Amino acid sequence: MNEPAGKQLDRHPEMSAHEADAYRNDFVRHLCQTVPGIKESVIVDAAGCSLKTAEGRILLDMISGIAVSNLGHCHPAVVKAVQDQVARFSHIDVYGRFTLPPQVEIARRLASVTPGDLDVAFLTSTGTEATEGALKLARKYTGRPGFVAFQRSFHGRTFGSLSVTWREEWRKPFEPLLEPVRFAPFDDLDAADRAIDDAIAAVIVEPIQGEGGVRIPSDVFLPGLRELCTERGALLICDEVQGGMGRSGKWFSCQNWGVTPDVITVAKAFGGGLPLGAFISTAEIFSTFLDPPLSHLTTFGGNPVSCAAAIAAFDVIRNEGLVERAAEMGEYLRSGLRSARRSHPDTLADIRGMGLWCAFDVQPAHLAQPLVEEMARRGVVVGSMLNSAGTVRVAPPLVVEQDEIDRFLGVLEISLNTLEG
């Protein structure tokens, strides 16, 4: 594992209160705000599972930058890979005249762990770009216009990905979006059966819903979707932007049900902390982008420096057995959460999770955000969910140690006592 975070966090000094306040104020002044208020902390350093604030406080990161930092922060293998690649070249025409070895290396690695014949990748910069590409691919390949998505789904914020994202208050201001899009209840095969017809190009699903509250479907749901899509000629797109790269205890969360979709999207942890995404399919399906040529392009997707970070992160995950470790440490984490629930049965409700990807519900729901804030005051970073009111997110780096989980559980206990007191 990494060098102890405490030692690494001595690399950069704290800021003066004046300097930190200037950054807080100018963040609001010069950067677009989509939520009101001054940010709670200015971060000056990060290492392992720890963040360091301008005041010198050390915070335990139990959400991995929202499922991005699977190796924790500043993993030495990733840092070295980025430094080495920048010294060679940082940008070449990524879909032009040249073969770039970092792109090939990461695509080879993806192909070694993806299910079935999904061994071709189109590299992007972000998850929403990966979703956009997957939706375009499905329309182009099938010649059909429509999509089926699910209630509580989240697939991104650009026009196409927003079209298949469930929450109406986010979609409404930007309509008209893609049509037709039908939203079925998650984990309801009968509803999906009714929604999928010969107008549907693809069904897009998070095998485990992320922003929906780490919702895990029944064992028949994903295999049933696969059968329905095959029967009706629609593609099955599995959104693995949060669930991929070992988070669920498998390389991809769809593998927990033995399902091979037609397209997989990845991002977040895929880039090892740098912007990188991909949508992955078969050579046969991707061949539709050759007619006409240049049917889909990107400027920065597959940036060589991001690819170098991804290669290093992938190799650490594989060589150190972090996928399997996620399953083991996740059980330890959920065991601790279940113990906390027994101590606080009136406040903690349902506990869900797979691998190092967990959530728990707080009742009444309005206490969830105060709990998140109380834990932050006590030095532990957890988060809320975009599409699940009253739910708290827990998704630590895959390198999290048992004593760090114990620290989280201790702060959770004290914070619950404070709120209940």
Side-chain angles (χ1 to χ4, degrees):
M1 296 301 168
N2 293 350
E3 180 182 4
K7 182 177 179 181
Q8 291 191 44
L9 289 172
D10 290 336
R11 298 170 305 184
H12 302 292
E14 303 89 84
M15 292 179 181
S16 69
H18 175 76
E19 188 178 8
D21 285 343
Y23 273 114
R24 285 189 180 94
N25 292 330
D26 282 353
F27 185 93
V28 173
R29 180 182 178 189
H30 295 301
L31 292 166
C32 173
Q33 304 298 299
T34 58
V35 292
I38 300 290
K39 302 304 177 186
E40 59 194 81
S41 298
V42 177
I43 301 300
V44 297
D45 211 348
C49 299
S50 298
L51 310 175
K52 182 180 179 181
T53 73
E55 298 79 19
R57 294 183 67 217
I58 305 299
L59 308 178
L60 177 62
D61 181 4
M62 290 295 285
I63 57 172
S64 306
I66 311 184
V68 170
S69 303
N70 274 15
L71 299 188
H73 302 280
C74 294
H75 191 285
V78 175
V79 171
K80 183 177 187 306
V82 168
Q83 292 171 334
D84 289 349
Q85 183 58 49
V86 167
R88 293 188 182 97
F89 52 86
S90 60
H91 177 78
I92 305 291
D93 187 356
V94 294
Y95 274 92
R97 298 166 54 194
F98 308 109
T99 296
L100 305 184
Q103 292 183 338
V104 178
E105 289 290 345
I106 192 57
R108 283 173 174 168
R109 284 162 171 78
L110 271 181
S112 73
V113 294
T114 44
D117 296 327
L118 304 183
D119 60 0
V120 178
F122 189 107
L123 299 174
T124 68
S125 298
T126 66
T128 196
E129 289 176 70
T131 302
E132 294 284 343
L135 297 178
K136 284 180 66 177
L137 182 64
R139 273 193 168 179
K140 180 74 167 57
Y141 182 74
T142 65
R144 300 174 176 182
F147 299 96
V148 171
F150 294 93
Q151 294 173 9
R152 295 184 185 267
S153 66
F154 183 86
H155 299 290
R157 300 283 197 169
T158 50
F159 274 104
S161 56
L162 182 60
S163 300
V164 292
T165 289
W166 167 70
R167 195 163 167 180
E168 186 177 12
E169 70 178 277
W170 292 335
R171 287 185 285 113
K172 195 73 175 174
F174 304 102
E175 291 177 345
L177 298 171
L178 293 184
E179 295 180 349
V181 176
R182 302 165 186 165
F183 290 96
F186 184 67
D187 200 20
D188 186 336
L189 268 182
D190 290 336
D193 187 2
R194 293 190 295 271
I196 305 169
D197 59 25
D198 60 8
I200 298 302
V203 175
I204 183 167
V205 64
E206 300 157 272
I208 298 171
Q209 286 193 325
E211 297 304 328
V214 191
R215 308 281 170 180
I216 301 171
S218 61
D219 286 342
V220 300
F221 180 61
L222 213 62
L225 279 184
R226 173 69 280 175
E227 290 181 14
L228 287 171
C229 288
T230 300
E231 174 189 308
R232 312 233 170 127
L235 299 189
L236 178 61
I237 302 171
C238 280
D239 180 336
E240 298 278 4
V241 171
Q242 283 198 42
M245 312 314 294
R247 172 61 53 189
S248 73
K250 299 285 186 182
W251 277 102
F252 304 98
S253 59
C254 64
Q255 292 172 315
N256 288 287
W257 292 275
V259 167
T260 299
D262 299 293
V263 185
I264 286 176
T265 62
V266 294
K268 291 192 180 291
F270 176 48
L274 271 64
L276 188 67
F279 55 110
I280 310 154
S281 190
T282 65
E284 194 272 328
I285 292 175
F286 266 127
S287 68
T288 193
F289 276 171
L290 291 169
D291 180 21
L294 309 181
S295 287
H296 196 63
L297 283 178
T298 177
T299 296
F300 284 105
N303 172 267
V305 180
S306 293
C307 287
I311 292 163
F314 185 102
D315 288 350
V316 171
I317 292 171
R318 180 171 56 188
N319 296 340
E320 296 189 5
L322 296 186
V323 176
E324 297 77 13
R325 188 176 188 275
E328 296 167 6
M329 295 298 284
E331 271 305 309
Y332 183 80
L333 172 59
R334 282 185 295 280
S335 175
L337 288 172
R338 289 190 290 268
S339 178
R341 184 183 180 188
R342 288 192 291 271
S343 300
H344 301 272
D346 295 331
T347 305
L348 292 189
D350 190 30
I351 293 166
R352 301 177 296 277
M354 190 171 282
L356 279 169
W357 198 11
C358 303
F360 58 86
D361 294 335
V362 178
Q363 52 189 17
H366 67 80
L367 286 180
Q369 190 57 36
L371 177 60
V372 169
E373 293 168 0
E374 181 65 25
M375 294 187 70
R377 280 193 288 272
R378 297 179 181 277
V380 173
V381 179
V382 291
S384 54
M385 296 291 202
L386 293 177
N387 287 337
S388 185
T391 300
V392 174
R393 176 203 315 269
V394 186
L398 306 190
V399 297
V400 67
E401 298 290 354
Q402 186 170 312
D403 64 336
E404 292 171 317
I405 293 176
D406 290 340
R407 178 185 167 197
F408 154 75
L409 293 168
V411 168
L412 174 62
E413 178 74 23
I414 294 170
S415 299
L416 286 168
N417 288 336
T418 300
L419 291 180
E420 293 171 349

